Amino acid sequence: LKEVVSLTKGNDVKKMSDAVGEVLDFDKVVIYEDVNSKGEPMNVLAVQTAEGVKYATNSATFIRNYTEIVDIFKDSEEEIPTTFKVGSGTSKAGRPFITCDIA
Protein backbone atom coordinates (compact mmCIF):
# COMPACT_ATOMS: atom_id res chain seq x y z
CA LEU A 1 0.00 0.00 0.00
CA LYS A 2 2.87 2.36 0.79
CA GLU A 3 4.30 1.84 -2.73
CA VAL A 4 0.91 2.50 -4.34
CA VAL A 5 0.50 5.76 -2.41
CA SER A 6 4.05 6.76 -3.32
CA LEU A 7 3.36 6.11 -7.03
CA THR A 8 -0.01 7.79 -7.10
CA LYS A 9 0.38 10.73 -4.74
CA GLY A 10 4.13 11.36 -4.41
CA ASN A 11 5.53 14.83 -5.07
CA ASP A 12 8.36 13.31 -7.10
CA VAL A 13 6.15 11.82 -9.83
CA LYS A 14 7.03 13.19 -13.29
CA LYS A 15 4.81 13.52 -16.35
CA MET A 16 5.18 10.58 -18.74
CA SER A 17 5.14 13.11 -21.58
CA ASP A 18 8.50 14.40 -20.28
CA ALA A 19 9.98 10.99 -21.19
CA VAL A 20 9.08 11.06 -24.91
CA GLY A 21 11.83 9.36 -26.89
CA GLU A 22 13.15 7.49 -23.87
CA VAL A 23 13.19 3.76 -23.19
CA LEU A 24 12.03 2.98 -19.66
CA ASP A 25 12.30 -0.24 -17.67
CA PHE A 26 9.02 -0.47 -15.73
CA ASP A 27 9.63 -2.00 -12.31
CA LYS A 28 6.23 -1.23 -10.77
CA VAL A 29 2.98 -0.31 -12.54
CA VAL A 30 -0.35 0.86 -11.14
CA ILE A 31 -3.47 1.80 -13.11
CA TYR A 32 -6.05 3.57 -11.00
CA GLU A 33 -9.07 5.82 -11.34
CA ASP A 34 -8.84 9.47 -10.32
CA VAL A 35 -11.04 12.52 -10.86
CA ASN A 36 -10.13 15.37 -13.21
CA SER A 37 -10.68 19.09 -12.55
CA LYS A 38 -14.24 18.81 -13.93
CA GLY A 39 -15.06 16.07 -11.43
CA GLU A 40 -15.08 13.39 -14.13
CA PRO A 41 -13.45 9.98 -13.60
CA MET A 42 -10.25 9.26 -15.54
CA ASN A 43 -7.71 6.46 -15.58
CA VAL A 44 -4.12 7.14 -14.58
CA LEU A 45 -1.13 4.87 -15.22
CA ALA A 46 1.76 5.35 -12.79
CA VAL A 47 5.10 3.58 -13.02
CA GLN A 48 8.36 3.36 -11.18
CA THR A 49 11.38 2.55 -13.29
CA ALA A 50 14.14 0.15 -12.30
CA GLU A 51 16.18 3.28 -11.48
CA GLY A 52 13.49 4.49 -9.05
CA VAL A 53 12.12 7.33 -11.21
CA LYS A 54 8.34 7.69 -11.08
CA TYR A 55 6.13 8.74 -13.99
CA ALA A 56 2.37 9.07 -14.42
CA THR A 57 -0.01 9.78 -17.28
CA ASN A 58 -3.72 10.05 -17.91
CA SER A 59 -3.16 9.69 -21.67
CA ALA A 60 -5.86 7.34 -22.91
CA THR A 61 -3.68 6.38 -25.88
CA PHE A 62 -0.66 5.51 -23.73
CA ILE A 63 -2.77 3.52 -21.25
CA ARG A 64 -4.58 1.67 -24.04
CA ASN A 65 -1.28 0.84 -25.80
CA TYR A 66 0.24 -0.46 -22.55
CA THR A 67 -2.78 -2.57 -21.53
CA GLU A 68 -3.13 -4.04 -25.03
CA ILE A 69 0.54 -5.09 -25.02
CA VAL A 70 0.16 -6.67 -21.57
CA ASP A 71 -3.05 -8.46 -22.60
CA ILE A 72 -1.44 -9.88 -25.76
CA PHE A 73 1.43 -11.30 -23.75
CA LYS A 74 -0.89 -12.66 -21.04
CA ASP A 75 -3.05 -14.37 -23.67
CA SER A 76 0.01 -16.01 -25.22
CA GLU A 77 1.32 -17.00 -21.79
CA GLU A 78 4.60 -15.25 -22.62
CA GLU A 79 6.50 -13.23 -20.06
CA ILE A 80 5.13 -9.68 -19.97
CA PRO A 81 7.76 -7.20 -21.16
CA THR A 82 9.00 -4.51 -18.79
CA THR A 83 10.92 -2.29 -21.19
CA PHE A 84 8.89 0.26 -23.13
CA LYS A 85 9.53 3.24 -25.37
CA VAL A 86 7.57 6.43 -24.84
CA GLY A 87 6.62 7.78 -28.25
CA SER A 88 4.59 10.72 -29.46
CA GLY A 89 2.32 11.78 -32.26
CA THR A 90 -0.08 14.50 -33.31
CA SER A 91 -3.82 13.96 -33.69
CA LYS A 92 -5.78 15.03 -36.77
CA ALA A 93 -6.94 17.98 -34.68
CA GLY A 94 -3.29 18.99 -34.16
CA ARG A 95 -3.00 17.95 -30.52
CA PRO A 96 0.06 16.08 -29.30
CA PHE A 97 -0.31 12.67 -27.64
CA ILE A 98 2.00 10.00 -26.25
CA THR A 99 2.25 6.32 -27.11
CA CYS A 100 3.66 3.20 -25.48
CA ASP A 101 5.63 0.69 -27.53
CA ILE A 102 7.69 -2.38 -26.72
CA ALA A 103 11.36 -1.42 -26.73
Side-chain angles (χ1 to χ4, degrees):
L1 184 59
K2 188 176 180 181
E3 289 177 341
V4 172
V5 172
S6 174
L7 275 174
T8 59
K9 302 300 178 192
N11 292 329
D12 58 344
V13 178
K14 299 178 179 187
K15 291 180 180 181
M16 187 68 74
S17 57
D18 292 343
V20 167
E22 293 185 35
V23 173
L24 305 176
D25 187 12
F26 291 6
D27 185 44
K28 297 178 176 83
V29 180
V30 175
I31 298 175
Y32 65 100
E33 189 174 280
D34 204 351
V35 178
N36 67 16
S37 60
K38 297 176 187 175
E40 302 166 336
M42 64 175 183
N43 286 326
V44 177
L45 181 143
V47 304
Q48 181 172 318
T49 67
E51 297 78 27
V53 181
K54 299 171 193 168
Y55 293 94
T57 185
N58 63 354
S59 164
T61 302
F62 189 94
I63 296 169
R64 184 178 58 250
N65 292 160
Y66 174 79
T67 56
E68 287 175 351
I69 291 167
V70 168
D71 288 345
I72 289 168
F73 276 82
K74 278 184 183 176
D75 290 346
S76 68
E77 298 182 10
E78 294 276 331
E79 186 175 336
I80 297 170
T82 60
T83 306
F84 297 91
K85 180 175 183 179
V86 182
S88 66
T90 304
S91 71
K92 291 179 184 175
R95 294 200 282 192
F97 61 91
I98 60 173
T99 60
C100 178
D101 300 303
I102 296 175

